[in-house]
Amino acid sequence: MEEHSEQGVPGEPGIEPSLPSGNDPADLERFKGWNWGACAFTGIWQIAFGMQAWGIIVLVSTLFLCFPGVIASLYLGAKGNELAWRYHSFASFDEYREAMRVWNYWGIVFIICNCVVALVLTAVLVYLGVKIFAPFLRELNF
């Protein structure tokens, strides 16, 4: 009779297959919630957490098209906590929690900074547009 390791055998009833990271698959239910770090730093986050091929694909594709990056950001924001546990080896749950805390903090900071820059640029462009086009609009009695 064949003996099985503690990690389980895929397809065997009642035993979950082991994760690529070696972390306990039973803990996956603990990782619900939004991951701001994965959402904001999509490709870089994927590379950092063991998904190098997907990270490179996302980074390269967003150079040419915006759409794949948006889809990847939304997906990783929703599933990032689970994916980090699945693909990156952590010594303990506390190490995982600390890593996600740091990534979430900087993800929120990055998104807020992007919003501020977008608002400032919009205000500058509107101001310049009014200054440049005001004489033409006066001539047209607009």
Side-chain angles (χ1 to χ4, degrees), residues 28-98:
L28 283 175
E29 287 302 313
R30 297 170 78 177
F31 307 115
K32 303 292 183 198
W34 192 261
N35 188 314
W36 289 104
C39 178
F41 303 110
T42 307
I44 296 167
W45 186 92
Q46 286 179 302
I47 291 169
F49 286 98
M51 297 164 270
Q52 289 84 4
W54 283 111
I56 291 168
I57 289 169
V58 168
L59 287 173
V60 170
S61 68
T62 53
L63 293 174
F64 305 105
L65 298 168
C66 173
F67 188 70
V70 171
I71 297 299
S73 289
L74 294 175
Y75 176 75
L76 289 174
K79 301 291 274 182
N81 293 327
E82 177 187 331
L83 291 171
W85 187 255
R86 184 177 298 275
Y87 291 104
H88 186 76
S89 181
F90 293 97
S92 67
F93 181 72
D94 289 335
E95 179 187 350
Y96 163 84
R97 189 173 43 208
E98 178 62 18

Side-chain angles (χ1 to χ4, degrees), residues 3 5 11 14 17 33 39 46 55 58 87 115 117 129-130 137:
E3 290 192 28
S5 69
C39 178
Q46 286 179 302
V58 168
Y87 291 104
C115 290
V117 168
V130 168
L137 294 174

Side-chain angles (χ1 to χ4, degrees), residues 100-114:
M100 292 306 106
R101 186 189 67 75
V102 171
W103 278 93
N104 280 321
Y105 173 81
W106 286 109
I108 290 170
V109 168
F110 183 75
I111 290 170
I112 289 171
C113 288
N114 280 334

